[in-house]
Amino acid sequence: IFVDRNFYPSLHSTEIIVIKVFRKMALGQTESQSVDSDNAIDRITANTAAHYEPFGWHHWPQSPWFSYQFRRGLGETQEGGGAVSEVFQAASRIDPTSEESWHIEWKRIADRNYARAVSEEAAGHIRTAINCFMRAADYYRQAEFFLQPEDPRRLATFTLMEQSSHGFLRNLNPAGEVLEIPYENGATLPAYFVRAPFPVEKQPVLICMGGLDSIKDEMWFMQAHGCLQRGISVLMIDGPGQGGALRRQGLKNRPDTEVPIGYCIDYLETRPDVDKSRIAVCGSSLGGYYAARAGCYEHRLAACISHGAVFAITDMWGNAPEDHGLATHIKWVFGKPSMRESMEKARAFTLEGHLENMRCPYLVMHGGHDVLTVSQARKVYDYGISKGVRCTLRLLEAEETGAEHCQHDNPTIGQEILADWLADQFGIDQRKLLARSTNPLI
């Protein structure tokens, strides 16, 4: 039995779930046989109870998109983006068929942490305030995720997320900086700069960015924290089509990402505390394309990381229907009213004919059981190697964990791998550096 909504539009989602489950049972298909193929996120597993998969904890198997986002929030708890008990508390109250329920329950625990952060900061309990602000920021990010772009609560929740981020950034040592990087036509790119807590005058910097839906405020939990621990300062940005650049200025994404990254490098070169010869870029998920494309033409970059690789957007979503799990985000980010028109624009988002221009070392880090795509990582790597690019491919497998998309099931191992690779490229002696730490708690 093959079920496709395009051919059977009258079927209810629950009927499709049942048919998919029975189809897997009839074929004797096991999870290990299926998770390696692309678009595994749409599959309903035969085990419909909460359970562990090669890509991590699968909380609502009959609502795989909710489960994926929950995995993301759960994983980021270990980087300070939440508390395990609070995350499961929210999950226990969420109706996995209701986006409204998702918003309410994540915002409930976000509001609680934000209020506590403000109170503890006023009392001088700064470490507690930092912790609460960090949790609130990531919870607000979750609360915002499934709201429609035109819903007024979306920007309001996003603003609360930023206020939470500002709270923990201002209390760091050294304090983080909230920036607006000059861009085109009077627009700006919202950003945070955090200097690594080591007495090194000129430090290397990683420009950290997300992808389709990940934003600067989430980069701490995905990329930035690990780099700061290894003496690498970070510039976390919202590029065109991301975060505040999209929500407040209406900036849509663009294929030539070397342009916005170039503006970021221009800014970094004005700072006396930056080693201009050691600036790198990392992009997560769709940002894997953004970073790679920037690395092809912005030759001031000393290294490039695709934290989740994308060779061509149309390889993944070229035939995606209007009810695809990311359709709302795709149309919003691309600035198009339909998936068809979005994918017409997306044809320009490919590394073919471009990746051969990359001169710097390039890391492709990808989950070996990524529920969105695994084949894209191999395609990027194989193409790069064939063109003489200095590529390194690191696929994380189920036994070590971190096998999910962007290591959402274990973001710490993802940060360890990418930050150690980058520290090696920059020639950082971590033993000597850590002996000089000015803030061991970071």
Side-chain angles (χ1 to χ4, degrees):
I1 302 171
F2 177 79
V3 178
D4 189 318
R5 291 179 189 271
N6 294 323
F7 293 103
Y8 299 99
S10 63
L11 284 177
H12 295 295
S13 59
T14 52
E15 293 173 310
I16 291 175
I17 288 170
V18 170
I19 292 172
K20 284 183 175 179
V21 169
F22 275 97
R23 176 178 178 271
K24 285 174 67 70
M25 293 171 65
L27 293 174
Q29 191 176 34
T30 66
E31 275 59 62
S32 62
Q33 291 172 309
S34 64
V35 293
D36 285 333
S37 58
D38 291 349
N39 299 314
I41 194 169
D42 287 320
R43 297 196 177 112
I44 308 298
T45 58
N47 181 354
T48 57
H51 65 283
Y52 194 83
E53 286 280 332
F55 48 76
W57 182 250
H58 206 37
H59 198 71
W60 298 289
Q62 294 184 346
S63 297
W65 284 98
F66 266 36
S67 290
Y68 166 73
Q69 292 301 330
F70 179 75
R71 226 163 14 251
R72 189 167 175 171
L74 178 62
E76 289 173 358
T77 63
Q78 63 197 50
E79 288 297 321
V84 172
S85 292
E86 286 184 323
V87 168
F88 274 103
Q89 183 185 65
S92 73
R93 298 167 175 169
I94 288 173
D95 174 355
T97 67
S98 169
E99 294 177 351
E100 182 66 18
S101 171
W102 179 275
H103 169 73
I104 290 170
E105 298 306 335
W106 283 105
K107 190 172 184 296
R108 186 200 303 266
I109 58 174
D111 287 342
R112 184 170 70 215
N113 276 273
Y114 185 78
R116 186 176 175 218
V118 171
S119 174
E120 297 293 347
E121 185 179 36
H125 302 156
I126 301 305
R127 187 68 245 181
T128 298
I130 290 173
N131 295 343
C132 292
F133 276 130
M134 290 177 74
R135 291 194 290 268
D138 216 28
Y139 294 159
Y140 281 128
R141 181 257 165 217
Q142 290 279 11
E144 190 229 28
F145 187 82
F146 284 114
L147 295 175
Q148 294 298 307
E150 65 275 8
D151 188 326
R153 295 176 299 173
R154 181 131 208 181
L155 182 57
T157 306
F158 181 84
T159 299
L160 285 168
M161 179 201 65
E162 288 188 315
Q163 290 173 355
S164 301
S165 295
H166 298 174
F168 83 77
L169 288 169
R170 67 173 169 260
N171 285 298
L172 294 178
N173 180 22
E177 302 173 38
V178 179
L179 307 170
E180 296 288 339
I181 296 174
Y183 182 53
E184 297 178 338
N185 303 315
T188 59
L189 302 178
Y192 302 141
F193 183 86
V194 183
R195 180 175 164 80
F198 300 94
V200 177
E201 182 181 359
K202 290 183 179 292
Q203 296 184 343
V205 177
L206 178 67
I207 301 170
C208 308
M209 62 178 163
L212 181 73
D213 54 64
S214 43
I215 47 188
K216 65 185 183 307
D217 303 77
E218 198 178 5
M219 291 302 99
W220 180 279
F221 314 111
M222 296 173 69
Q223 303 176 20
H225 188 201
C227 288
L228 290 167
Q229 292 172 323
R230 292 158 178 80
I232 303 167
S233 296
V234 294
L235 180 69
M236 298 172 277
I237 70 165
D238 283 336
Q242 298 174 328
L246 174 66
R247 288 156 178 78
R248 293 200 176 90
Q249 301 178 72
L251 298 178
K252 309 305 181 183
N253 69 346
R254 56 189 294 174
D256 54 342
T257 47
E258 65 272 14
V259 176
I261 295 302
Y263 280 98
C264 293
I265 297 173
D266 290 346
Y267 163 74
L268 290 172
E269 289 186 334
T270 69
R271 296 187 64 107
D273 56 353
V274 167
D275 181 346
K276 301 174 182 59
S277 69
R278 294 189 294 172
I279 297 173
V281 66
C282 180
S284 296
S285 191
L286 182 53
Y289 164 80
Y290 294 156
R293 169 63 194 248
C296 294
Y297 298 110
E298 182 43 86
H299 297 307
R300 289 178 290 178
L301 290 168
C304 179
I305 302 170
S306 285
H307 180 211
V310 177
F311 185 81
I313 289 178
T314 51
D315 285 352
M316 300 189 302
W317 303 326
N319 297 312
E322 288 294 327
D323 65 349
H324 184 270
L326 293 172
T328 297
H329 285 274
I330 291 169
K331 290 184 287 187
W332 190 21
V333 167
F334 280 75
K336 299 296 180 181
S338 69
M339 285 296 292
R340 180 185 58 80
E341 290 168 285
S342 296
M343 290 304 100
E344 288 176 357
K345 176 180 175 180
R347 283 199 288 265
F349 291 71
T350 178
L351 295 180
E352 183 155 12
H354 300 288
L355 190 55
E356 47 264 52
N357 295 298
M358 187 179 291
R359 299 176 187 170
C360 63
Y362 178 37
L363 172 64
V364 177
M365 187 174 74
H366 207 92
H369 293 266
D370 186 319
V371 296
L372 298 182
T373 175
V374 177
S375 66
Q376 287 287 287
R378 297 188 185 279
K379 189 170 183 177
V380 170
Y381 175 74
D382 290 345
Y383 184 91
I385 289 295
S386 74
K387 300 297 183 180
V389 180
R390 289 175 285 167
C391 295
T392 299
L393 175 64
R394 180 64 162 87
L395 283 176
L396 283 81
E397 294 301 334
E399 186 60 27
E400 62 182 325
T401 73
E404 170 62 296
H405 182 66
C406 292
Q407 289 70 63
H408 286 321
D409 60 317
N410 184 358
T412 302
I413 193 172
Q415 295 214 52
E416 289 167 350
I417 292 168
L418 75 84
D420 283 340
W421 179 87
L422 189 57
D424 289 346
Q425 301 305 313
F426 285 159
I428 294 172
D429 185 329
Q430 294 188 39
R431 287 190 182 89
K432 290 182 180 178
L433 184 74
L434 289 171
R436 305 173 65 192
S437 174
T438 60
N439 183 7
L441 293 178
I442 203 168

